[in-house]
Amino acid sequence: MRHWPLFALRLTTPRLELRLPDLDDLDALADRAAEGVHDSDAMPFGVPWTDAPPHERARSTVQFHFRQWGAWSPGDWSCCFVTVWEGQVVGMQAMSAVDFAVTREISTGSWLGQRFQGRGIGTEMRAAVLHLAFAGLGARYARSSAFTDNPRSLAVSRKLGYRDDGLSVHTRRGEAVLQQRLRLSREEWTAPGGFGIHGLEPCLPLFGIDAPDGLTGAGRVP
C-alpha cells in the first residue's frame, strides 16, 4: 500500500521473519490464540484476555490488530508484528511508543503459541524489535515488564541485557500482584549478527521521525 508502507516493513533473523500481518496472517495468529498461550492456572497478562473461550480469544486477536492500525499516529503508535517460524505464524511481538521523537524510548510486549514455546523463539523475536528500535530508529532506551511469577519473560529480558528498574503493584484476577519493570539502554545493547531490517525508510514519518538520530546510515550504530 502506497499510503501505508508499514505493510512492507520486515524484520529478519537467522530463523524468523517479523511483519505486520495481512488478513491470512491474522487468521493464523487467531488460531494460535485459540489453541492456547499458557497454562490455565497462570496469567502472564495484565489484561486477562486469555481467560475467554477459544473462539472469543481468536476474534479479539483480530480486533486488537484492527484497533492498533486505526489508532496509529506518529506521536502514539504500537507496531504489532506476527512472528513467522518455518513458514508458520507462531506468535506476536509488539513495540510501542508515545512521543518517540522526543523520548526515544520504546516498550515491548509479546506472546507465543504454547506449542512453540521452549525453542528460543521468544528471545529471538524480542531481539528483532530491539534491533529495529536501536539500529533502525535510533532509540535510546527499551522498557519491558513482567509479573514476578513469570520467570520465562523475565529470563528473556535479562538474557538480552535488561536491568531491573523497580517494582509496581497491579491487580490481576482480583488480587494484588507485583510487576518487575526492566530497562535496556542503547549503550548496554549488543547488536546481533544476522539480523536485518527491510522497508524501513518510507515508514520513518509514521514513527514520528525523519531520520534515525545518531545513526551513520540505515540501520548502523556509530
Side-chain angles (χ1 to χ4, degrees):
M1 290 182 66
R2 290 178 293 107
H3 299 291
W4 198 250
L6 290 160
F7 282 128
L9 179 60
R10 297 286 189 276
L11 311 180
T12 54
T13 79
R15 296 190 298 164
L16 309 175
E17 179 180 272
L18 279 69
R19 62 187 183 231
L20 262 70
D22 61 20
L23 298 184
D24 288 337
D25 289 337
L26 277 182
D27 255 349
L29 187 67
D31 288 340
R32 301 294 87 77
E35 291 165 3
V37 178
H38 56 78
D39 293 336
S40 59
D41 60 347
M43 177 46 66
F45 306 116
V47 176
W49 63 277
T50 49
D51 278 346
H55 71 281
E56 291 184 15
R57 294 200 301 267
R59 184 175 63 244
S60 69
T61 297
V62 175
Q63 291 177 306
F64 172 81
H65 284 263
F66 288 164
R67 286 194 297 270
Q68 298 307 307
W69 296 345
W72 189 300
S73 74
D76 188 350
W77 48 262
S78 184
C79 190
C80 300
F81 297 101
V82 290
T83 299
V84 181
W85 173 71
E86 295 188 347
Q88 301 179 81
V89 171
V90 298
M92 187 275 289
Q93 176 68 60
M95 181 179 76
S96 59
V98 176
D99 295 329
F100 178 77
V102 177
T103 67
R104 297 288 175 163
E105 180 177 86
I106 63 96
S107 61
T108 61
S110 65
W111 60 266
L112 188 63
Q114 193 167 18
R115 64 189 175 95
F116 299 100
Q117 295 172 13
R119 306 170 191 262
I121 295 172
T123 301
E124 196 166 326
M125 67 193 207
R126 175 96 68 88
V129 293
L130 291 176
H131 187 64
L132 171 61
F134 290 124
L137 299 178
R140 298 191 185 105
Y141 298 100
R143 293 183 294 109
S144 187
S145 61
F147 293 125
T148 55
D149 60 1
N150 186 358
R152 287 187 177 181
S153 179
L154 293 170
V156 168
S157 296
R158 288 167 177 150
K159 183 176 181 179
L160 291 169
Y162 287 74
R163 296 179 181 269
D164 290 355
D165 192 36
L167 296 169
S168 54
V169 181
H170 295 261
T171 301
R172 182 183 62 184
R173 288 175 169 170
E175 297 182 352
V177 62
L178 283 176
Q179 188 173 80
Q180 176 70 61
R181 299 191 301 267
L182 303 111
R183 177 177 292 270
L184 176 65
S185 71
R186 181 167 160 179
E187 291 74 22
E188 294 171 312
W189 168 70
T190 301
F195 282 56
I197 305 169
H198 313 274
L200 176 60
E201 187 174 356
C203 303
L204 291 175
L206 289 167
F207 288 104
I209 54 177
D210 295 323
D213 179 37
L215 301 189
T216 58
R220 293 192 286 123
V221 178

